[in-house]
Amino acid sequence: MFNFEDANKQGKEAFDLMLKSYSAMTKGFQAIASETAEFTKKSFDESVAHLDKLSKVKSVEAVFELQTSYAKSAYEAYVAEAQKIGEMYADLAKGAYKPYEAPVAKATAAAKAAVAA
């Protein structure tokens, strides 16, 4: 027979899990947005400083050297930031899934027991 109390309890548990997951995702996206904004500001400031240095250079050779070193450092900074953001997305996914680990493990064990029987 259908038990409304059990259904209500399970619905509440599912809703609580969803809220925990949503909260973890929100915090993760906020952290990623903040990190991206900081990197963008830093990158823009470095670009402006580089243009200022370029405007003061007198020789073509110095321009090439300055531009080469800037391009290398900008590329390295971008790659490091991309790795950091990638790790943040992985952490976000882990954090969003964490509330579901116990119920999924319980359901998996129940399914294995049902198959074995």
Side-chain angles (χ1 to χ4, degrees):
M1 178 166 195
F2 186 76
N3 187 342
F4 285 106
E5 288 180 19
D6 288 343
N8 187 27
K9 182 181 173 188
Q10 288 178 349
K12 184 181 180 321
E13 289 173 359
F15 188 73
D16 289 343
L17 289 174
M18 182 192 66
L19 285 178
K20 288 177 185 176
S21 177
Y22 180 74
S23 176
M25 287 178 59
T26 302
K27 288 176 185 175
F29 282 127
Q30 286 175 341
I32 290 168
S34 176
E35 181 65 33
T36 302
E38 288 176 24
F39 177 75
T40 301
K41 183 182 181 313
K42 180 183 170 193
S43 179
F44 178 77
D45 291 343
E46 289 174 357
S47 295
V48 169
H50 173 68
L51 288 174
D52 185 48
K53 287 179 188 177
L54 276 178
S55 68
K56 295 176 182 175
V57 173
K58 303 284 184 206
S59 70
V60 174
E61 292 84 14
V63 168
F64 280 118
E65 287 178 26
L66 191 61
Q67 184 63 26
T68 301
S69 68
Y70 173 75
K72 181 181 177 189
S73 67
Y75 174 75
E76 289 170 352
Y78 174 77
V79 169
E81 187 68 16
Q83 288 175 337
K84 186 175 183 179
I85 295 293
E87 290 170 3
M88 291 176 80
Y89 272 110
D91 292 342
L92 181 146
K94 289 175 190 172
Y97 177 71
K98 191 161 187 75
Y100 296 107
E101 285 178 343
V104 168
K106 184 178 174 183
T108 303
K112 285 181 182 178
V115 169

